[in-house]
Amino acid sequence: MNGGLAQVADWLICPVCRRQHGGEEPLRLTGRTLRCSSGHSLDVARQGHLTMIPAPPGVNADTPEMVASRTRALEAGIFDPLDRVIARGLAGSRRILEAGAGTGHHLARVLDAVGDAHGLASDISVAAIRRAAKAHPRMAAIVADTWQGLPVRSGAVDALMCVFAPRNGGEFHRVLAPGGLLSVVTPMPHHLAALREATGMIGIQPDKREQMIRSLADSFDPCAVETVQHTMTLSPELAADVVQMGPSAHHTTHLDLTGPIEVTFAVEVTTFTRREPS
């Protein structure tokens, strides 16, 4: 019980104390409850995750339908090459946090490759985190808002993953230990191009990676970049899942594919080092 959570409980801080006075009060896990010294308590859900935000997630959180589509698409192997690249870049890491982790699929694959590492998946979607809580025995899962601040102790992790998710440079810098690595995945302009043309999916800004690097420039230095590109022939059903697993599910698209479609997956994995004070 609570195996993954017990392994990372000392990474966590009380979110109530953090909101009230900015403190980093540690939490102690007893049974199915975490408590801080100020008396605040958080109960582990029966699905195994921990909710660390005071209000329900907003309308942009992944829905159960989006989570189901994402699970089917990822289990079909659409991003297996990407997971291998991330794992190779973080091979020396032992404490890995994924912000905006969704179902925890990517972090779980990295933990499979990095045999003695432990992981923490954070996402604002309760539906996604319920799956993440069961994704890997060496991983815990929390509902948290990257923009509002991660309930993670300063310097608690030595690697942080961010795959197509919001980035909070200041928070990422705070929770990473000195010498820590940040791995960020961004889509290239031609990522899913055929599927975008066929269904009306949301477009990709041509300078997305450059904007991402600028947004992190105050806290991180890029040290490596690797392109991951491959082509798959998707059935109409799998193509629909790829469309509906992400933000395009919140918008109108025409999913009237009548046959298989060849789709190119093209992303960049940029690795950053945590900038230390001069």
Side-chain angles (χ1 to χ4, degrees):
M1 181 184 294
N2 303 334
L5 185 57
Q7 295 162 8
V8 305
D10 64 341
W11 304 7
L12 301 175
I13 57 176
C14 176
V16 180
C17 291
R18 183 90 195 278
R19 289 192 298 271
Q20 290 180 346
H21 53 76
E24 294 195 7
E25 291 293 330
L27 292 164
R28 175 171 295 186
L29 178 64
T30 305
R32 298 187 66 86
T33 302
L34 286 95
R35 290 186 175 87
C36 76
S37 60
S38 298
H40 304 125
S41 62
L42 300 165
D43 292 329
V44 180
R46 60 181 178 83
Q47 297 91 347
H49 66 279
L50 190 66
T51 296
M52 305 188 77
I53 55 175
V59 296
N60 289 328
D62 290 352
T63 65
E65 293 77 16
M66 292 171 65
V67 170
S69 289
R70 181 176 301 174
T71 299
R72 289 190 294 266
L74 292 175
E75 289 180 350
I78 63 170
F79 284 129
D80 284 359
L82 168 63
D83 294 332
R84 289 192 289 270
V85 169
I86 298 174
R88 187 165 63 245
L90 302 183
S93 303
R94 296 297 174 263
R95 298 166 294 155
I96 306 173
L97 166 66
E98 184 176 5
T103 64
H105 175 92
H106 300 295
L107 179 55
R109 298 292 78 77
V110 170
L111 292 177
D112 281 339
V114 185
D116 54 352
H118 296 283
L120 176 64
S122 172
D123 199 278
I124 199 170
S125 167
V126 176
I129 283 298
R130 283 175 177 167
R131 287 186 179 267
K134 298 177 173 61
H136 199 281
R138 285 184 278 112
M139 185 171 81
I142 61 172
V143 179
D145 187 344
T146 299
W147 291 120
Q148 296 301 317
L150 297 166
V152 176
R153 177 172 50 84
S154 294
V157 300
D158 51 32
L160 196 153
M161 297 166 49
C162 188
V163 183
F164 308 129
R167 299 171 298 274
N168 184 333
E171 274 295 275
F172 291 179
H173 186 273
R174 181 184 67 80
V175 303
L176 275 168
L181 297 176
L182 170 62
S183 180
V184 179
V185 178
T186 50
M188 300 178 72
H190 59 294
H191 177 60
L192 306 181
L195 199 53
R196 294 178 190 282
E197 183 176 350
T199 65
M201 290 177 69
I202 298 171
I204 298 173
Q205 296 171 311
D207 60 343
K208 193 170 184 68
R209 179 173 178 270
E210 288 73 19
Q211 289 186 2
M212 177 271 294
I213 291 175
R214 287 196 296 270
S215 72
L216 297 171
D218 290 341
S219 303
F220 292 92
D221 295 310
C223 61
V225 60
E226 187 164 350
T227 298
V228 185
Q229 181 169 305
H230 65 105
T231 299
M232 292 180 64
T233 299
L234 308 183
S235 67
E237 295 78 16
L238 181 54
D241 280 333
V242 173
V243 173
Q244 295 174 322
M245 67 183 275
S248 289
H250 292 296
H251 302 271
T252 301
T253 54
H254 41 278
L255 301 176
D256 53 353
L257 298 172
T258 57
I261 181 172
E262 188 174 86
V263 175
T264 295
F265 296 83
V267 302
E268 290 176 304
V269 183
T270 305
T271 303
F272 296 83
T273 54
R274 181 186 188 272
R275 182 176 301 157
E276 310 305 329
S278 55

